[in-house]
Amino acid sequence: MNKEELLNCFDAITPTDEQKDKMLAEILKHKEKVFKPAKPFKYQVAFAAVLALGIVISARPQLFLLDKQKDVPRYEVAQKAPESVSPSEPPAQTEAEIPAESTTTVLNKKAPESSFVGNNESDLSDIVASTAAESTQEEALGVADAAENSDMFVMATLVPDEDLSMAASFRMAGRELFYDEVLNDETYGNLFPKKIIEGFDFASAIAFDNSLEADFTGENGYIHIRIYNKSDAEPSPLIITPDELLEYEQADTISFSISCGDFIVYYEIDGKNITGIYDMVVSTDFFNK
Amino acid sequence: MSNSALRTDEEITRIYKKYVDMVYKICFMMSKNIHETEDATQNVFIKLIKHLDDFKSDEHIKAWLIVTAQNECKNMLKHWFRSKRSDLDSVPEATYEDKNESDDTLEKVMSLDDKYRLPIYMYYYEGYSTSEISQILNIKHSTLRTHLSVGRQKLKLMLEEDENE
């Protein structure tokens, strides 16, 4: 075998033109099919979709909340009563379970004829009635705070039960007053001192149906004055005369009551300035009369 | 990969038309099967599409195609033994015998081992020197020369035996 025969042998291994065209077409087809040009537009669409979804989620997250709260009707959430402060208390009640009378009964408690409210009694009843109708469950339980812009509120106190658990109870409707209003009150005004011990400032005053309270605070303590009807005095208070105050000279905290006609004036004073206390007590119009 | 980064159709077509015969021959000698040869040839040029390095010259392209064709066929043969794409009995065998049944010389050449067949083709048909072949196929020069010598002797013996018969 010479070289020429060998070359002819290799020449025989040659694809036909048809094979060549077919393979070239396949190659170019594969190129167009597999190596597609990049389409930035589709990524822009995807980016815009993700961005829009993020905006929607941030604007309305409640649409995507999957917790159980989503399934609870909103009125139930809004009206759910606060947890009872006492284990002995029944579980939280819904508004429907709480009789409306329980609110109005307490709040509409009639004031005695000698109430300081006087002409404001009818107004107070109206306000209380409307407040009861609109009151939330918290208000019904007496946990409401005195609104800054409203001088009407429900006074609530936490008192220990027999088993020492705490339970909320109503006291009665109250109305915040300025001290000028206290002094100008037709029933109780003249029983409050015109001159307060030096170093104490007026803190707050609350008018109830059958009593009026005022608090004064200072660097060295506080003064609490409450005036109420004698008929409401229970148990019988320790009633002293102003002159007997001097016997409390060594005491840090003094609490005493002074009988003034149909009313009891109760003082609770934290301080040692007995002379100042005496001057304050005797400075009331009642004693000056 | 953007389309602009690929070789253009014109460039691919030019290289294809120039070297498709060579690539086809190498693939055929490696696979000994027409269908496998066509697939391998296509794969070689598809790899050329993705090969973005600039070639220094047409000789550079030619050498790259030889090496790529050889590797492609080796991979295909490995894959061929691993996968059962069809029942061999059901498919008529398509080998070099279909190509040229009367060419005994080709049959003798194809009966040589791969390590002799491709150097003989590159030396006698493509005209490469032994040093060039050793560089392209990445084998030692002395080893290549030995393969060429042994291949020639085996081919000569096979032809002499046919003549004696």
Side-chain angles (χ1 to χ4, degrees):
Chain A
M1 182 182 70
N2 56 27
K3 185 178 178 181
E4 188 177 351
E5 290 176 342
L6 190 61
L7 295 180
N8 290 334
C9 164
F10 287 123
D11 276 335
I13 311 173
T14 302
T16 62
D17 291 341
E18 184 182 357
Q19 279 181 299
K20 289 179 184 178
D21 294 341
K22 179 185 172 185
M23 286 190 291
L24 179 61
E26 288 293 327
I27 291 167
L28 297 179
K29 180 182 176 183
H30 182 86
K31 179 192 172 190
E32 294 299 324
K33 184 178 180 181
V34 177
F35 307 111
K36 286 180 179 177
K39 293 181 178 179
F41 177 71
K42 65 179 179 182
Y43 298 112
Q44 290 175 359
V45 170
F47 177 76
V50 171
L51 186 64
L53 183 63
I55 293 172
V56 171
I57 289 175
S58 59
R60 301 291 297 275
Q62 65 273 20
L63 295 176
F64 301 90
L65 289 178
L66 299 177
D67 57 2
K68 293 181 179 178
Q69 190 173 1
K70 188 181 74 172
D71 300 330
V72 179
R74 290 186 177 182
Y75 66 88
E76 289 187 21
V77 175
Q79 296 175 354
K80 185 173 283 186
E83 292 183 357
S84 174
V85 294
S86 170
S88 61
E89 289 275 327
Q93 297 172 312
T94 62
E95 187 178 46
E97 294 171 339
I98 297 176
E101 289 183 7
S102 63
T103 304
T104 55
T105 300
V106 175
L107 298 178
N108 287 335
K109 189 176 182 179
K110 284 189 176 180
E113 293 181 0
S114 59
S115 170
F116 73 95
V117 178
N119 296 333
N120 294 332
E121 182 179 0
S122 58
D123 297 337
L124 178 62
S125 299
D126 293 340
I127 294 171
V128 167
S130 61
T131 303
E134 299 174 357
S135 63
T136 62
Q137 181 62 32
E138 290 87 349
E139 289 171 333
L141 291 176
V143 193
D145 294 327
E148 289 184 359
N149 297 327
S150 173
D151 55 359
M152 281 301 302
F153 62 92
V154 177
M155 190 69 178
T157 56
L158 290 173
V159 295
D161 285 344
E162 291 180 354
D163 58 353
L164 297 181
S165 61
M166 301 299 288
S169 66
F170 286 111
R171 200 162 165 184
M172 57 186 61
R175 186 166 65 97
E176 276 195 296
L177 300 174
F178 294 108
Y179 197 56
D180 292 341
E181 297 175 294
V182 172
L183 295 178
N184 293 329
D185 188 86
E186 294 180 356
T187 305
Y188 303 103
N190 58 346
L191 299 180
F192 277 88
K194 297 291 187 294
K195 179 184 177 185
I196 305 300
I197 300 173
E198 189 176 352
F200 287 85
D201 296 319
F202 172 74
S204 64
I206 304 171
F208 296 99
D209 286 355
N210 50 5
S211 66
L212 184 58
E213 297 180 8
D215 289 290
F216 306 86
T217 57
E219 295 180 356
N220 298 322
Y222 68 92
I223 300 171
H224 175 74
I225 302 173
R226 181 182 175 221
I227 303 174
Y228 56 99
N229 292 333
K230 271 186 178 177
S231 58
D232 295 332
E234 186 181 354
S236 299
L238 173 63
I239 298 175
I240 62 173
T241 63
D243 292 336
E244 292 172 337
L245 277 174
L246 299 177
E247 297 176 6
Y248 295 90
E249 190 174 357
Q250 300 300 323
D252 291 338
T253 302
I254 302 170
S255 60
F256 56 90
S257 298
I258 298 173
S259 177
C260 301
D262 293 334
F263 304 104
I264 299 293
V265 183
Y266 172 76
Y267 285 86
E268 183 177 326
I269 301 169
D270 182 10
K272 289 184 177 181
N273 190 358
I274 297 298
T275 305
I277 295 170
Y278 179 83
D279 293 341
M280 184 182 69
V281 171
V282 299
S283 70
T284 61
D285 290 345
F286 181 83
F287 295 108
N288 289 336
K289 281 180 181 176
Chain B
M1 185 181 292
S2 65
N3 205 25
S4 59
L6 300 173
R7 297 185 186 281
T8 61
D9 291 353
E10 292 74 17
E11 187 179 6
I12 293 294
T13 303
R14 183 187 69 81
I15 297 173
Y16 175 84
K17 287 182 177 178
K18 188 171 183 179
Y19 296 110
V20 63
D21 290 345
M22 180 196 71
V23 172
Y24 187 88
K25 285 181 172 66
I26 293 172
C27 292
F28 189 83
M29 283 189 289
M30 295 284 291
S31 65
K32 304 177 184 177
N33 182 288
I34 293 174
H35 304 301
E36 293 289 330
T37 299
E38 290 180 355
D39 289 343
T41 303
Q42 291 179 25
N43 290 339
V44 169
F45 284 98
I46 287 171
K47 286 185 177 180
L48 178 68
I49 295 171
K50 293 187 283 186
H51 188 79
L52 302 178
D53 292 346
D54 288 334
F55 293 110
K56 298 174 183 174
S57 62
D58 280 0
E59 280 300 314
H60 189 189
I61 295 175
K62 186 179 179 182
W64 185 90
L65 288 172
I66 291 171
V67 174
T68 303
Q70 185 189 22
N71 293 334
E72 179 65 26
C73 290
K74 285 180 180 177
N75 292 335
M76 188 172 283
L77 290 172
K78 287 179 186 177
H79 182 268
W80 173 256
F81 288 114
R82 290 178 183 175
S83 62
K84 292 181 179 179
R85 293 187 292 186
S86 61
D87 187 359
L88 290 175
D89 294 336
S90 63
V91 177
E93 192 175 8
T95 63
Y96 59 90
E97 293 175 353
D98 296 332
K99 186 74 180 174
N100 193 350
E101 294 179 354
S102 61
D103 196 341
D104 293 335
T105 306
L106 179 60
E107 186 178 351
K108 298 291 182 295
V109 172
M110 297 303 291
S111 66
L112 291 172
D113 287 344
D114 292 343
K115 60 184 179 183
Y116 305 131
R117 195 161 58 239
L118 193 57
I120 287 174
Y121 165 77
M122 293 180 68
Y123 183 81
Y124 288 105
Y125 194 84
E126 297 295 339
Y128 283 111
S129 66
T130 53
S131 59
E132 289 172 335
I133 296 172
S134 64
Q135 285 182 353
I136 292 172
L137 300 181
N138 195 25
I139 54 179
K140 286 184 180 179
H141 188 229
S142 57
T143 305
L144 176 73
R145 292 178 65 87
T146 303
H147 287 173
L148 274 175
S149 176
V150 173
R152 275 196 299 259
Q153 289 179 0
K154 285 191 173 186
L155 200 58
K156 185 178 179 181
L157 287 174
M158 284 189 288
L159 292 172
E160 288 177 353
E161 288 175 359
D162 286 346
E163 289 176 0
N164 293 332
E165 290 176 358

